[in-house]
Amino acid sequence: MVKICCIGAGYVGGPTMAVIAYKCPNIEVVVVDISVPRISAWNSDRLPIYEPGLDDVVKHCRGKNLFFSTDVEKHVFEADIVFVSVNTPTKTSGLGAGKAADLTYWESAARMIADVSKSDKIVVEKSTVPVKTAEAIEKILTHNSKGINYQILSNPEFLAEGTAIQDLFNPDRVLIGGRETPEGYKSVKALKDVYSHWVSEDRILTTNLWSAELSKLAANAFLAQRISSVNAMSALCEATGADVSQVAYAVGTDSRIGPKFLNASVGFGGSCFQKDILNLVYICECNGLPEVAEYWKQVIKINDYQKSRFVNRMVSSMFNTIANKKVSILGFAFKKDTGDTRETPAIDVCQGLLGDKAQLSIYDPQVMEDQIQRDLSMNKFDWDHPLHLQPMSPTTKKKVHCVWDTYEATKDAHAVCILTEWDEFKKLDFQRIYDNMQKPAYVFDGRNVVDANKLREIGFIVYSIGKPLDAWLNDIPVVA
Ligand code: UDX
Ligand code: ADP
């Protein structure tokens, strides 16, 4: 029986390994993590991450060929294939601060593998890492090898949160990069054999190591670029009276462009897009390509612009002051169907509103209050350090209330601000919400989920991203 061990039981390691175990009953999969609460949660009825379909997959295999453990060394020692899916934060100090990847967790995982191994191993990069990380890891392993043969593969994961199980069951492609040597080809084949249990041959792409590593950064940069492109258009639409949904539809029907990832929004979030683009920028700069670096940097600048434009629009519409006004925030996760808040645009929007002294009442169906409070008091990039729990600022806490119900969140509020496209927000009783709000009552829809015309009939002043503005808003200049 082939034994797989995955280091890191997070959003990538957990679901990916659960699906491998589900699809390959002849393989034993153990997911290990240094975090005791995380592993306990994976072994409980309440999994540490919310992901549609994940519970069923885990329940089906847990205890049979899928195990979760904190005994990292034992399971690495026993494994034939070791996946590494640990955090790769952005550096917050020193060389490359704010851009380069901090490989502390990766390096410590590699050194531990070298310490405990007594048999040959295939080591697979699963976390997104900068190009040429595999080479560095290979050096750590071979210089400490004690005669053991290590083969390094890059197998980036393309799943998106909220649809992870679907994406893993039916991937557009599986990408495996390896060394172009006989041993390299052999280990690529071994990993290919795992995926071949359920993915057809033509969807398993094999490349050299660097191409696989760069492809992941490039794919995320291209996806994020589409969102920044449509968001840039949304600002122009608002200024000119065009409707960004109509423009995006017209653009997306060109088969060369395609319809996906053209939804204008308050901005993209998530653990990958910003981090991976910053990495790409850093790699370009290090390779003497400042123009290319500048090009990709712009994708992030537009994303930041979109978030601050949204806050400015809110403040200026409400007579330029929101001090002590109750603003109801609906949705805090970075997208629907996940409880993940990493780099969610809600953090910047809420911080912007708190900066103008608003009182926030926040509701998200999947995000817990302590997570929200922590997010709002954390420094940039600190979210990706598992051992680093920031103390909460007491002043933030006083201004932010989290509730478990939309109608409570919106009661007596001056404005409703939608920051995640949860399906339940499409079905709200807006007449009831309006009746219980202060007047004039505003809705700022950062995800274009509400029917603005219906809400205007009720009496709301509505702002939707990239749509023709209410006369009320049109008269107010916004400084971005
Ligand atoms: C992304 C990639 O899609 C995935 O392939 C990679 O493995 C990890 O990064 P993820 O961050 O989970 O996945 O979610 P994704 O669906 O890509 O959304 C990212 C952000 O972009 C979200 O905040 C989402 O709301 C936003 N978005 C997405 C838009 O604003 N408009 C769109 O049209 C699509
Ligand atoms: P991703 O979204 O890429 O899966 P996460 O932050 O959700 O990232 O998960 C990474 C996991 O890796 C965390 O649960 C963290 O505790 C774990 N981790 C980090 N370093 C190590 C290590 N050296 N050994 C075991 N687990 C680790």
Side-chain angles (χ1 to χ4, degrees), residues 157-159 161 216 261 263 265 268-269 273 334-335 447:
E157 184 47 63
F158 293 100
L159 69 79
E161 286 171 38
K216 176 63 199 264
F261 264 69
N263 289 324
S265 67
F268 60 74
F273 283 175
F334 83 98
K335 62 188 279 197
R447 297 288 183 168

Side-chain angles (χ1 to χ4, degrees), residues 70-99:
T70 48
D71 198 342
V72 181
E73 301 190 352
K74 172 176 182 275
H75 294 291
V76 169
F77 168 80
E78 289 177 357
D80 307 295
I81 304 178
V82 180
F83 285 84
V84 185
S85 188
V86 300
N87 318 62
T88 48
T90 306
K91 280 184 83 171
T92 47
S93 59
L95 195 65
K99 277 182 285 196

Side-chain angles (χ1 to χ4, degrees), residues 28-42:
E28 183 189 282
V29 182
V30 186
V31 191
V32 297
D33 203 294
I34 39 174
S35 161
V36 175
R38 229 179 195 180
I39 290 298
S40 308
W42 278 111

Side-chain angles (χ1 to χ4, degrees), residues 12 128 157-163 167 173 216 219-220 223 226-227 230-231 259-273 276 303 333-336 340 343-345 421 447:
V12 172
T128 311
E157 184 47 63
F158 293 100
L159 69 79
E161 286 171 38
T163 53
D167 296 343
R173 78 303 208 185
K216 176 63 199 264
N220 277 342
L223 288 169
R226 282 174 75 93
I227 303 167
V230 78
N231 282 345
K260 294 182 183 167
F261 264 69
L262 287 178
N263 289 324
S265 67
V266 61
F268 60 74
S271 67
C272 290
F273 283 175
D276 290 355
N303 199 46
F334 83 98
K335 62 188 279 197
K336 74 169 180 178
D340 193 358
E343 298 285 5
T344 175
E421 71 283 18
R447 297 288 183 168

Side-chain angles (χ1 to χ4, degrees), residues 284-348:
C284 292
E285 285 171 353
C286 292
N287 282 284
L289 302 169
E291 289 81 1
V292 184
E294 221 25 68
Y295 175 76
W296 287 111
K297 223 184 260 175
Q298 201 58 31
V299 172
I300 294 179
K301 282 193 189 159
I302 287 288
N303 199 46
D304 288 338
Y305 165 74
Q306 188 75 346
K307 290 180 274 188
S308 63
R309 207 167 71 77
F310 189 81
V311 173
N312 293 352
R313 176 75 77 189
M314 286 185 73
V315 178
S316 54
S317 316
M318 296 165 76
F319 316 107
N320 254 335
T321 173
I322 53 169
N324 297 319
K325 288 181 181 164
K326 177 172 170 180
V327 176
S328 163
I329 305 289
L330 300 187
F332 198 83
F334 83 98
K335 62 188 279 197
K336 74 169 180 178
D337 291 339
T338 177
D340 193 358
T341 61
R342 294 177 294 176
E343 298 285 5
T344 175
I347 295 177
D348 285 345

